[in-house]
Amino acid sequence: MTIFYGTETIHGAGGLPERQRRASMGVEYEGALFRIHSTPHPPLLRVEGEIDANSAARFLAALRGAARSLGGDITLDLGELSFIDLGGLRAIVEVAGEIGAEGRNLVLSPVAPHVRQLIQIIGWDTAPGLSLPADEIRP
């Protein structure tokens, strides 16, 4: 299945050879501001780019779809994320709650210190289904 949002594409089974090639490389979503890569073993989603008010809804839909395609606990790698606002963090917490209801966790690793601090200040570090490893250090 391939879903188009304007010039942005969520990759999946089917579609043109270029889209299939990217999907086999693990590109779950590619848009103007951000990209989500995935690997099934271990379950990992890596986010690159920027998540702001204009892209938060697309990020939520893409993250939700990618999380549904993976089993078990999922590591969400935010190490290549250059910017995320409150709407983007809210999307992460919402998806964590959804998979948490299935007995799974969304593990944020790595996370930039300022993003970790914001999550903790808001109190979302204790959100159901969200895991923020305490021993991780990232510059």
Side-chain angles (χ1 to χ4, degrees):
M1 176 172 97
T2 303
I3 302 171
F4 296 93
Y5 290 103
T7 60
E8 300 155 355
T9 305
I10 295 177
H11 300 277
L16 301 173
E18 177 64 15
R19 289 191 200 104
Q20 289 173 347
R21 184 184 66 78
R22 288 185 194 169
S24 69
M25 291 173 41
V27 176
E28 290 289 327
Y29 177 91
E30 185 173 7
L33 292 177
F34 69 93
R35 177 182 292 177
I36 298 176
H37 298 270
S38 72
T39 60
H41 303 289
L44 170 73
L45 297 172
R46 185 177 73 220
V47 182
E48 300 173 351
E50 300 178 6
I51 310 298
D52 61 15
N54 294 319
S55 61
R58 289 185 298 274
F59 176 61
L60 173 60
L63 184 59
R64 180 179 283 143
R68 286 181 183 153
S69 72
L70 298 172
D73 290 350
I74 301 169
T75 298
L76 184 61
D77 177 345
L78 302 177
E80 297 298 319
L81 193 62
S82 58
F83 177 82
I84 189 166
D85 70 1
L86 193 57
L89 291 177
R90 187 177 296 117
I92 290 170
V93 171
E94 187 171 328
V95 170
E98 291 169 5
I99 70 169
E102 302 168 0
R104 305 188 298 149
N105 287 301
L106 189 61
V107 181
L108 305 184
S109 179
V111 179
H114 67 282
V115 173
R116 173 186 296 279
Q117 184 178 22
L118 181 57
I119 291 169
Q120 291 170 330
I121 288 170
I122 296 169
W124 286 346
D125 55 321
T126 60
L130 188 68
S131 177
L132 192 61
D135 58 347
E136 179 188 314
I137 299 172
R138 175 157 164 77

